[in-house]
Amino acid sequence: MRFKPAVAIGLACVALAACSSSDSEGSGPLRSPPKVAALGPFVGECGHVSDDEVRSIAGLPQVSAVFRNAVGCNWQSAGVGSPVVTFASYRGSPIDRERAWVESKDRVVESVTVQGHSGFQSYGTSYSGTTCDFAVRLDDDFFEWSTFGFTAMGRGPCDAALQLAELTLERMQ
């Protein structure tokens, strides 16, 4: 006789499980789908700035190497410890994460607006001179010009990076 109540309880559990699983299958998870970042404007290879313009604006006496890839460019002056200029473009990447990383490096960080676009500049001094990062937001994207190893040369620490960023903004598509 004990067998019949056990079967009845087992069948009731199966029925409840079937009802509850069929109810939840149609509703799916309750979290929202991930955000897909819209593509911002095209900043061009090396920010639409030529090697000669980088050399002139940054005051590089001689460029010994230029490296390019799909997201950035790097100009190195001749000699160990010589100045370097870099450009990088970030698609769908939050500029605030970059700002937080730079702030963790004990640099001075200031908010900026360039041609209606918000961003930040950061600068600090190391053994090789002044370092500057100049980042500009473009919707869900941003680009960044950086200078490393520069001495004062009678200019502000981010003057060259600002001028390069202005050129990039003027030439965007």
Side-chain angles (χ1 to χ4, degrees), residues 75-162:
W75 295 264
Q76 294 181 349
S77 190
V80 175
S82 295
V84 176
V85 176
T86 63
F87 171 82
S89 175
Y90 299 89
R91 289 268 195 206
S93 182
I95 193 172
D96 294 330
R97 180 174 54 203
E98 181 73 7
R99 182 180 180 132
W101 181 85
V102 170
E103 287 172 339
S104 76
K105 301 300 176 194
D106 293 329
R107 296 186 192 155
V108 175
V109 180
E110 300 169 345
S111 295
V112 296
T113 301
V114 183
Q115 298 177 10
H117 297 276
S118 64
F120 70 88
Q121 71 176 9
S122 72
Y123 53 90
T125 304
S126 66
Y127 67 92
S128 61
T130 301
T131 297
C132 173
D133 296 309
F134 201 96
V136 178
R137 180 189 315 264
L138 302 170
D139 299 322
D140 290 328
D141 306 338
F142 75 96
F143 69 84
E144 182 175 54
W145 280 97
S146 299
T147 56
F148 306 97
F150 285 80
T151 55
M153 298 190 311
R155 298 168 31 164
C158 290
D159 288 353
L162 168 60

Side-chain angles (χ1 to χ4, degrees), residues 46 63 65-69 72-76 84-87 148:
C46 300
V63 174
V66 178
F67 303 99
R68 291 177 173 80
N69 65 29
C73 299
N74 178 293
W75 295 264
Q76 294 181 349
V84 176
V85 176
T86 63
F87 171 82
F148 306 97

Side-chain angles (χ1 to χ4, degrees), residues 23-91:
D23 289 342
S24 65
E25 285 177 0
S27 64
L30 297 178
R31 67 184 119 145
S32 60
K35 179 185 175 202
V36 177
L39 293 179
F42 179 60
V43 295
E45 181 182 76
C46 300
H48 287 300
V49 178
S50 72
D51 296 347
D52 287 337
E53 289 171 319
V54 170
R55 186 177 9 263
S56 174
I57 291 168
L60 298 175
Q62 178 183 5
V63 174
S64 64
V66 178
F67 303 99
R68 291 177 173 80
N69 65 29
V71 296
C73 299
N74 178 293
W75 295 264
Q76 294 181 349
S77 190
V80 175
S82 295
V84 176
V85 176
T86 63
F87 171 82
S89 175
Y90 299 89
R91 289 268 195 206

Side-chain angles (χ1 to χ4, degrees), residues 114 134 136 143 145 160-170:
V114 183
F134 201 96
V136 178
F143 69 84
W145 280 97
L162 168 60
Q163 196 173 352
L164 292 164
E166 290 171 335
L167 276 178
T168 298
L169 288 169
E170 289 170 13

